[in-house]
Amino acid sequence: MAKQILLKNIEVPGLASFGVYRQLGGYSAVEKALANYTPDQVTNEVTRSGLRGRGGAGFPAGMKWGFIDKKTENPRYFVCNFDESEPGTFKDRHIGQLNPHQLIEGMILGSYALGAKTSYIYIRGELFYVLRIIEKAIDEAYKNGFLGNNILGSGFSLDLYCQPGAGAYICGEETALLESLEGKRGNPRIKPPFPAVVGLYGCPTVVNNVETIAALPWIINNGGEAYAEIGIGNSKGTKLISACGHINKPGVYEIELGLPVEEFIYSDQYCGGIRNGNKLKAVVAGGSSVPILPANLILKTAAGETRFMSYESLSEGGFQTGTMLGSGGFIVMDETACIVKNLLTFAKFYHHESCGQCSPCREGTGWMEKILHRIESGHGTMKDIDLLVDISKHIEGNTICPLGDAAAWPVASAIRHFREEFEEHVKLQKCPF
Amino acid sequence: MQSKPNITEFNTETLDLINRIINRYPEGRQKSALLPVLHIAQAENSGWLSSETMNYVASLLDIQPIEVYEVASFYSMFNLQPVGNCVIEVCHTGPCWLNGADEILAHFESRLGIKVGETTPDGKFTIKTVECLAACGNAPVIQVGTEYHEKLTTQKADELLSKWQSENKISHTNPYL
Ligand SMILES: Cc1cc2nc3c(=O)[nH]c(=O)nc-3n(C[C@H](O)[C@H](O)[C@H](O)COP(=O)(O)O)c2cc1C
Ligand code: SF4
Ligand code: FES
C-alpha cells in the first residue's frame, strides 16, 4: 500500500466536521508550528521536503515562498488556487468536499510562514456546493480558536475567506486569479513582476494549489526530511492522480511518485485496467494541456525504459516522445476512442477559455477548432493537417500566459503520434469510428 | 416565455449577506465582492443579469456600471439574457465525451424538443453546454444550479426530468443559502 498523506482518512464518515478531523489528530501541525517554530522554520521544513507545486507546473513550494519580501510594510497574502478546471482533473474537489479542514490547516501553516494576516481560497464558481462545505469548516475553525485573533495564544492572527469564481478556466492561471479576486476580468498579467513581488492588491502574494497546501500539515507533523524520503529523484512525496476515461475504476488515487505507469493503469489497486477488456490506445497523463502519448510510449520511454509516474520520467524524451505529469489529470483512451474527436473537444475548450488578450491565442484557438471540426466531420483536406501544425507552432511561445502553449501542445502531439488517424478522416471523408 | 424581471433592490437579509462579504476585503477594495454579489444578484433576478440589476450592483459596490458589465460579460456563469427556470448544463469536454456526453445531450434535446442554448416555450427549461466540471471520474456529468448530477444515463436523465417537471424546478437560488 502506498504511503497515504492526503487521503489517509478520506473515507472516515464525518471527516468534514471539525470534531472528527480533530479526533484524528487534525490541527496538531498548527499547534506544533505556532508553539515551536518561527515562520522561517516552517518555510525551511517545506523547502527540505522538496514539495513541488501540484497545480501543474511543479515549481518547488519552499523556493516560491522564499521569494516573498518579508521586510515590506505592505500586507502579504496567501491565496489557495481552487479553480480546478483543467479537463481530466478532479482531485482538489475530492479534498475540498471530503476533508476541508486539512486544507484550512494548510492555509494556516502557509499564512503563518509567509506572515499573511488575511488569506483567500479562490474556488471555481461551479463548485459552490463545495464552497459552502469549506465555509462551514472555516466557521468551525474560528469557533475553536484556530482562526481569528491570537490563535492559540501565539500572537498570530488570521482571517480566512472563500471566494467564488464564475466560470473561466483562465482564472486558474495565478495572475488571472488575482485579477479575478480583485473583482475584474480574468486577464493574466504580464510577468515579471511575479506575484511574490506584486500580487493581490499590489502586495507580495503566494498562490498555491489545494493539493500543495493540503500536504503541509503532514510535512510539519513529520518533518520535511520524512516527506523527502518518499518518492523518486526530484519527485518527492505523494501525488493525487485523478484517473478517468476508459478504465474500470475511475477515481482519485494517491500514489507515491515513482510508481510504474503500467502498474497504475492495470493494477486493481488503481485504475483496474481498460474497460471491457479493451486495448489501451492513448493516455493524456497530466490534464488536457500536456502532450498525448500512444500506449507504447506511455508505458515505456522511446529508449525502452519503464515509464514511471514522476515529473522526470513522464517528461523523458521531451516533446518528441514524452509528456508531463501536469496536474495529475490522467485521461485513458481505449481502441474505440477517436483521437480527432477528443482533440476537437479540447480545441473547443481552449477557444472558449482564451481570455482574448493575445491574438495568436484568441485567433489561433478558433482556427484550430474550426479546422478540427472540418476534419472530424469529413470535410478536411491533407493540407488541413499541416495547417494545424503550423498554427500550433505560431501560438506556442508567443503569448502572455501559458494557455496558448496549453492549446498548442495537444494538437501538435496528437498529429505527431496519430497522423494516420487524421489522414483516414480525410480519405474516408468521415469519422472512421 | 416568462416576464423579464429587473431586480433593483435587495431585501435586508440579502443586503446583510453582501455587507458581510464586502467586509472580507481591505478598506477600499470592495470591488473584490463583485463576483460573489453578481452570483447573488443573478439568483435573485430569476437567473440572469439585466442592465438594471447590474447598475444596482454597481451602486451597491460604489463602482462604475461599466466595471460590472465588463466582468459580467467575461464569466460564463453569468447570463446576460433571460433563461428558463431550470437551466440544465451538460458537460461536453473530452472525458465526458469519452463516456457518452453526446448521447446525454441529444437525449435532453429530444425530450425537451429544443436545441442547446434554447429555452422551452413554457419557460421551464434551458439547455446549455459547459466545459469540464472537475468531476470527470463520474462522467458524464451535468450541473443544475449548485447541484451536480454524475454518472448520468439516459434513464437517470428521464427520472430527473420528471422530478423537475413535477416540482417546477428552479435552478437559480441564492448559492450562499
Ligand atoms: C491556463 C492555466 C490554468 C491553470 N489552472 C490552474 C488550476 O486550475 N489550479 C491550479 O492550482 N493551478 C493552475 N494553474 C497553475 C497556476 O498558474 C499556478 O502555477 C499554481 O496555482 C501555483 O500553485 P502550485 O505551485 O502549488 O502548483 C494554471 C495555469 C495556467 C497557465
Ligand atoms: S495566451 Fe490566451 S489566455 Fe493567455 S493571456 Fe494570451 S489570450 Fe489570454
Ligand atoms: S469533462 Fe466533464 S467533468 Fe470533466
Side-chain angles (χ1 to χ4, degrees), chain A residues 77 88 90 93 120 124 126-127 132 135 162-163 165-167 180-186 201 246 250 341 345, chain B residues 24-26 29 31-32 39 70-71 74-77 94 97-98 102 132 134 136-137 143 146 148 150 175:
Chain A
Y77 292 101
F90 47 98
R93 171 176 92 133
Y120 299 95
R124 64 178 292 182
E126 291 87 344
L127 291 179
R132 290 199 296 256
E135 285 202 336
C162 208
Q163 172 91 351
S180 181
L181 189 45
E182 292 181 2
K184 302 179 200 154
R185 297 168 77 100
Y201 309 130
H246 296 153
K341 173 76 196 252
T345 75
Chain B
R24 297 172 170 184
Y25 318 101
R29 298 291 183 174
K31 185 174 171 178
S32 277
H39 278 295
E70 64 178 15
V71 162
F74 183 84
Y75 294 91
S76 64
M77 287 180 78
W97 167 73
L98 287 171
D102 281 355
C132 179
C136 336
Q143 175 162 32
T146 60
Y148 273 37
E150 308 179 26

Side-chain angles (χ1 to χ4, degrees), chain A residues 2-164:
Chain A
K3 186 108 203 149
Q4 298 285 289
I5 288 176
L6 298 159
L7 301 188
K8 182 162 169 249
N9 298 322
I10 207 81
E11 278 166 17
V12 176
L15 180 63
S17 73
F18 179 86
V20 173
Y21 181 71
R22 183 81 175 130
Q23 218 164 24
L24 293 165
Y27 288 104
S28 55
V30 168
E31 292 174 311
K32 182 176 178 181
L34 294 187
N36 306 322
Y37 290 170
T38 63
D40 285 345
Q41 281 172 316
V42 173
T43 305
N44 287 342
E45 286 304 324
V46 175
T47 307
R48 222 171 280 154
S49 75
L51 173 68
R52 292 167 66 173
R54 303 298 194 217
F59 194 83
M63 193 190 291
K64 192 193 257 187
W65 292 12
F67 295 146
I68 283 276
D69 176 6
K70 293 206 158 173
K71 289 191 206 78
T72 157
E73 294 289 300
N74 283 330
R76 282 163 296 215
Y77 292 101
F78 186 43
V79 176
C80 171
N81 189 340
F82 202 146
D83 194 54
E84 186 156 75
S85 321
E86 170 95 359
T89 316
F90 47 98
K91 64 192 179 68
D92 297 338
R93 171 176 92 133
H94 203 60
I95 298 178
Q97 189 175 352
L98 299 172
N99 198 359
H101 284 286
Q102 187 163 341
L103 174 60
I104 295 170
E105 185 171 9
M107 287 302 291
I108 302 169
L109 294 168
S111 303
Y112 175 67
L114 297 164
K117 296 190 180 66
T118 310
S119 296
Y120 299 95
I121 297 171
Y122 180 98
I123 181 164
R124 64 178 292 182
E126 291 87 344
L127 291 179
F128 236 108
Y129 76 98
V130 179
L131 176 144
R132 290 199 296 256
I133 294 171
I134 295 173
E135 285 202 336
K136 192 161 163 248
I138 289 178
D139 275 350
E140 291 180 308
Y142 269 102
K143 287 202 184 93
N144 288 280
F146 286 96
L147 285 172
N149 277 330
N150 192 17
I151 299 171
L152 306 176
S154 64
F156 172 64
S157 303
L158 176 66
D159 283 317
L160 178 62
Y161 304 109
C162 208
Q163 172 91 351

Side-chain angles (χ1 to χ4, degrees), chain B residues 61-79:
Chain B
L61 295 180
D62 195 17
I63 55 180
Q64 295 301 317
I66 179 73
E67 296 178 89
V68 180
Y69 308 155
E70 64 178 15
V71 162
S73 60
F74 183 84
Y75 294 91
S76 64
M77 287 180 78
F78 297 132
N79 300 315

Side-chain angles (χ1 to χ4, degrees), chain A residues 245-300:
Chain A
H246 296 153
I247 46 177
N248 284 317
K249 290 171 56 199
V252 181
Y253 298 102
E254 179 166 15
I255 61 155
E256 278 184 39
L257 285 165
L259 180 78
V261 175
E262 187 161 5
E263 188 179 337
F264 182 69
I265 297 177
Y266 290 101
S267 105
D268 278 338
Q269 202 185 331
Y270 302 109
C271 303
I274 310 304
R275 63 162 194 190
N276 306 331
N278 286 356
K279 272 206 326 246
L280 173 67
K281 177 175 181 178
V283 172
V284 176
S288 58
S289 304
V290 310
I292 188 172
L293 287 182
N296 61 323
L297 283 176
I298 187 71
L299 299 176
K300 289 205 178 343

Side-chain angles (χ1 to χ4, degrees), chain A residues 88, chain B residues 91 93-96 132-136 141:
Chain B
C91 172
T93 314
C96 275
C132 179
L133 291 167
C136 336
V141 183

Side-chain angles (χ1 to χ4, degrees), chain B residues 91-176:
Chain B
C91 172
H92 68 163
T93 314
C96 275
W97 167 73
L98 287 171
N99 287 288
D102 281 355
E103 198 194 338
I104 296 295
L105 181 60
H107 190 71
F108 277 118
E109 287 181 332
S110 83
R111 282 294 311 271
L112 293 172
I114 50 171
K115 292 275 163 209
V116 172
E118 295 176 354
T119 299
T120 51
D122 61 6
K124 281 191 179 166
F125 293 97
T126 299
I127 307 177
K128 280 170 73 170
T129 51
V130 286
E131 300 299 342
C132 179
L133 291 167
C136 336
N138 296 332
V141 183
I142 64 165
Q143 175 162 32
V144 172
T146 60
E147 292 164 18
Y148 273 37
H149 297 278
E150 308 179 26
K151 293 190 183 165
L152 223 65
T153 56
T154 48
Q155 191 196 338
K156 254 196 190 173
D158 283 339
E159 284 163 23
L160 286 169
L161 270 179
S162 10
K163 184 165 158 275
W164 295 331
Q165 290 276 16
S166 67
E167 69 185 30
N168 276 324
K169 175 84 177 171
I170 293 181
S171 58
H172 41 267
T173 49
N174 185 332
Y176 280 96

Side-chain angles (χ1 to χ4, degrees), chain A residues 170 188 354-358 361 399-401 403-404:
Chain A
I170 192 57
S354 167
C355 84
Q357 278 191 111
C358 334
C361 171
T399 56
I400 292 176
C401 93
L403 186 140

